[in-house]
């Protein structure tokens, strides 16, 4: 008969009513005092549940002091009893820990498998979405999938009509604003300032009231003062920036993660994630209340900037690479990777016209005259001017050779000057209404990935891929 705790013959044996196990009385009473359970069955146990076992026992004499061998042996016995009890507890805790660890490992393995399966399904869905051919409206042919076209809300549609009526009425007779840069001013442009910004792999620049926001593929953004030639502030978008727009107090970015983020005073006030792939470009409606984003998932999305929410989404049949609103706001142009430039009705999302460029579209810019837009394709050294009033080959009003690949286009407000940017440098193409001829007043060897006009066309702000911003302005006589 051995104690279930110490494994030794008990001096004062007792048996548990619950488990029927035999214990040394002093050991089991200590265990009950500390744990309150039967060490064998784990059930609640009290001293009343212990039954003494009648057996012959040897009465040990009381140890006199620790100076004698019997006293030392008694002390050692007590220490051994405590050690045996502690060892049992440790073994029990080890067994429980092993069970918990096994359960946790199983749950972790199951979670990893679920995450891997969901990631695979997501990637397959994105890949299928990027390959599907989408057509709006009527029936579909072949593998094309018909999708209902979303339209703008009545409030935003009314804003589109109001903006078009207001702007188109004054456009034809609008004079060149007073104080605007002349052809001679543009011809005398030279690098006034050049500054390396803390924006590696820069991709975009946007200008507002003497300041420029420069973003890059590492998520960095720098606010640069054009007049003071210094960085005023820097912040992080935390995603690779593909395009930007600065309007009033809001700076808007699109990212290769499919996000559209809106910042105000350096703080993010809204973020949208409506694209399944990279968001490749942005465009702002003339009313300043509608924002458009395009993506490689073949869709463009309109956002309500007043209420900061998505307004509508329209799918096309190709990945979208460039975009712009008509200066009256009733048309939205989207360039595709197939080389087409598609015009959509802003209110309904219906396709209105298609122009062919022959290669993936790099950039689109509308002229303020209301019937021209400029476009260039990836790797092309030419810029094609299209006339909205014509169709087919007749729609190509002019093809301008810039002498180098073009990555960005921007037309000034006066309808005269079209700026281009690329690895070979910055050029300005001018159209004279009087002579109805094109000329090139400026060609500067300033490598750039993006370029924007400053107010009154008094300066050009360009940025290259290394984050170096260059300001071109007329030389002071």
């Amino acid at each position: 008969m051995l104690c279930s705790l110490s494994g030794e013959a008990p001096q004062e044996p007792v048996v548990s009513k619950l488990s029927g196990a035999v214990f040394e009385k002093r050991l089991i009473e200590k265990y009950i005092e500390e744990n309150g359970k039967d060490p064998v069955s784990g059930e609640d146990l009290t001293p009343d549940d212990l039954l003494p076992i009648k057996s012959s026992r040897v009465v040990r004499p009381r140890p006199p002091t620790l100076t004698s061998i019997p006293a030392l042996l008694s002390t050692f016995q007590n220490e051994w009893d405590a050690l045996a009890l502690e060892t049992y507890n440790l073994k029990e805790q080890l067994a429980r820990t092993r069970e918990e660890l096994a359960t946790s490992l199983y749950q972790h393995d199951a979670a990893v498998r679920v995450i891997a399966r969901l990631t695979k399904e997501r990637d397959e869905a994105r890949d299928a979405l990027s390959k599907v051919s989408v057509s709006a409206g009527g029936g579909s042919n072949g593998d094309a999938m018909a999708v209902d076209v979303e339209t703008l809300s009545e409030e935003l549609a009314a804003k589109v009509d109001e903006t078009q009526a207001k702007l188109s009425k004054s456009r034809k007779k609008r004079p060149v604003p007073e104080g605007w840069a002349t052809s001679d001013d543009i011809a005398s442009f030279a690098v006034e300032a050049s500054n390396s910004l803390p924006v590696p792999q820069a991709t975009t620049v946007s200008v507002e009231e003497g300041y420029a926001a420069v973003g890059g593929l590492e998520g960095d953004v720098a606010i640069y003062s054009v007049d003071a030639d210094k960085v005023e502030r820097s912040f992080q978008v935390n995603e690779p920036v593909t395009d930007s727009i600065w309007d009033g107090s809001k700076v808007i970015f699109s990212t290769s993660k499919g996000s559209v983020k809106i910042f105000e005073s350096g703080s993010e006030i809204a973020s949208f994630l409506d694209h399944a792939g990279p968001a490749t470009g942005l465009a702002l409606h003339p009313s300043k209340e509608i924002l458009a984003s395009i993506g490689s998932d073949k869709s463009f999305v309109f956002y309500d900037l007043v209420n900061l929410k998505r307004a509508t989404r329209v799918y096309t049949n190709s990945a979208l690479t460039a975009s712009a609103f008509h200066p009256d706001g009733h048309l939205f142009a989207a360039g595709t990777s197939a080389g087409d430039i598609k015009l959509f009705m802003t209110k309904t999302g219906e396709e209105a016209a298609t122009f062919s460029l022959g290669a993936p579209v790099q950039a689109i810019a509308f002229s303020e005259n209301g019937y021209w837009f400029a476009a260039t394709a990836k790797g092309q050294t030419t810029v094609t001017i299209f006339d909205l009033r014509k169709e087919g080959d007749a729609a190509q009003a002019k093809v301008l050779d810039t002498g180098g690949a073009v990555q960005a286009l921007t037309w000034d407000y006066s309808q005269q000057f079209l700026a281009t940017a690329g690895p070979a440098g910055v050029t300005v193409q001018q159209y004279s209404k009087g002579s109805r001829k094109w000329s090139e007043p400026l060609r500067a060897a300033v490598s750039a990935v993006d370029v924007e006009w400053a107010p009154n066309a008094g300066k050009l702000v360009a940025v290259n891929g290394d984050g170096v911003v260059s300001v071109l302005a007329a030389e002071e006589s």
Side-chain angles (χ1 to χ4, degrees):
M1 184 171 58
L2 300 176
C3 173
S4 297
L5 290 175
S6 65
E8 296 184 347
Q11 295 293 324
E12 191 174 357
V14 293
V15 63
S16 169
K17 293 181 180 179
L18 304 180
S19 62
V22 176
F23 304 97
E24 176 69 65
K25 183 177 181 180
R26 67 177 184 279
L27 291 181
I28 189 63
E29 286 179 346
K30 288 181 182 179
Y31 188 90
I32 292 174
E33 182 180 350
E34 294 177 4
N35 301 283
K37 295 182 180 296
D38 189 309
V40 176
S41 66
E43 300 178 79
D44 293 338
L45 184 67
T46 64
D48 296 334
D49 296 323
L50 300 176
L51 299 176
I53 299 176
K54 303 296 184 181
S55 64
S56 59
R57 55 175 293 185
V58 178
V59 180
R60 287 187 285 182
R62 179 183 300 174
T65 63
L66 292 177
T67 57
S68 65
I69 291 177
L72 289 174
L73 290 176
S74 177
T75 301
F76 292 154
Q77 180 65 53
N78 291 334
E79 291 295 330
W80 171 257
D81 291 344
L83 181 61
L85 183 60
E86 182 179 2
T87 302
Y88 181 84
N89 288 334
L90 290 175
K91 288 181 178 179
E92 191 178 47
Q93 292 174 5
L94 177 61
R96 286 199 301 267
T97 302
R98 283 178 172 173
E99 291 177 359
E100 293 173 358
L101 179 60
T103 302
S104 298
L105 289 175
Y106 174 78
Q107 292 175 345
H108 177 267
D109 183 64
V112 169
R113 291 176 182 272
V114 170
I115 292 172
R117 178 175 58 81
L118 292 177
T119 302
K120 181 180 178 182
E121 291 177 355
R122 182 203 65 185
D123 293 341
E124 290 175 349
R126 283 183 173 179
D127 183 62
L129 181 62
S130 66
K131 293 179 180 178
V132 71
S133 176
V134 182
S135 61
S140 58
N141 298 319
D143 296 329
M145 180 176 66
V147 177
D148 292 335
V149 175
E150 297 182 28
T151 59
L152 290 178
S153 64
E154 292 183 2
E155 181 181 355
L156 289 179
K159 176 59 67 173
V160 171
D161 290 336
E162 177 187 342
T163 303
Q164 180 189 4
K166 178 181 178 181
L167 295 179
S168 62
K169 183 177 181 180
S170 60
R171 187 174 308 285
K172 293 182 180 180
K173 298 181 180 181
R174 187 177 68 197
V176 175
E178 185 177 351
W180 207 262
T182 65
S183 177
D184 292 338
D185 294 332
I186 301 295
S188 67
F189 271 17
V191 177
E192 178 185 67
S194 183
N195 201 319
S196 180
L197 306 185
V199 183
Q201 297 182 330
T203 55
T204 177
V205 61
S206 51
V207 176
E208 178 73 11
E209 295 298 331
Y211 291 90
V214 178
L217 291 180
E218 294 189 9
D220 302 290
V221 174
I223 304 301
Y224 170 76
S225 173
V226 176
D227 296 328
D229 185 29
K230 67 177 183 179
V231 176
E232 297 286 348
R233 185 172 69 247
S234 296
F235 58 91
Q236 269 281 338
V237 176
N238 297 317
E239 293 180 13
V241 176
T242 58
D243 198 6
S244 66
I245 289 177
W246 192 345
D247 180 63
S249 61
K250 294 183 177 68
V251 188
I252 308 167
F253 302 95
S254 60
T255 77
S256 63
K257 299 291 186 180
S259 301
V260 174
K261 296 176 177 283
I262 303 177
F263 286 78
E264 192 166 15
S265 301
S267 300
E268 183 178 318
I269 61 171
S271 180
F272 306 97
L273 186 57
D274 291 294
H275 292 286
T280 53
L282 297 171
L284 184 65
H285 190 266
S287 67
K288 312 296 186 181
E289 295 186 11
I290 301 174
L291 172 73
S293 69
I294 58 173
S296 60
D297 60 353
K298 306 180 183 181
S299 74
F300 62 85
V301 181
F302 289 167
Y303 303 93
D304 182 347
L305 288 182
V306 175
N307 299 306
L308 295 179
K309 64 180 182 179
R310 195 186 92 175
T312 182
R313 179 206 290 272
V314 176
Y315 281 96
T316 67
N317 56 7
S318 295
L320 303 181
T321 56
S323 65
F325 276 105
H326 186 278
D328 289 339
H330 65 297
L331 293 175
F332 175 71
T336 72
S337 59
D340 294 325
I341 301 168
K342 297 179 178 292
L343 298 184
F344 298 89
M345 302 302 296
T346 302
K347 290 199 304 181
T348 63
E350 296 176 347
E351 187 175 324
T354 300
F355 299 86
S356 179
L357 202 56
V361 180
Q362 174 69 35
I364 303 173
F366 275 97
S367 168
E368 283 290 326
N369 63 21
Y371 51 85
W372 276 356
F373 71 89
T376 187
K378 294 184 185 297
Q380 284 188 352
T381 62
T382 59
V383 176
T384 304
I385 309 299
F386 289 93
D387 192 330
L388 294 175
R389 300 167 296 183
K390 300 179 181 179
E391 298 179 357
D393 294 337
Q396 295 190 8
K398 184 69 175 179
V399 177
L400 304 170
D401 192 347
T402 64
V406 179
Q407 289 186 255
L409 297 170
T410 179
W411 224 309
D412 82 318
Y413 180 75
S414 72
Q415 314 168 20
Q416 302 177 83
F417 306 115
L418 173 64
T420 73
V426 174
T427 76
V428 174
Q429 312 294 323
Q430 180 186 7
Y431 178 73
S432 174
K433 291 183 179 179
S435 63
R436 296 187 178 182
K437 292 183 179 180
W438 285 88
S439 61
E440 186 181 83
L442 177 68
R443 179 172 292 197
V446 178
S447 176
V449 295
D450 200 8
V451 65
E452 286 288 335
W453 289 102
N456 297 329
K459 297 180 180 180
L460 275 173
V461 181
V463 66
N464 66 16
D466 296 326
V468 177
V469 64
S470 300
V471 179
L472 287 76
E475 294 181 336
E476 297 182 1
S477 56

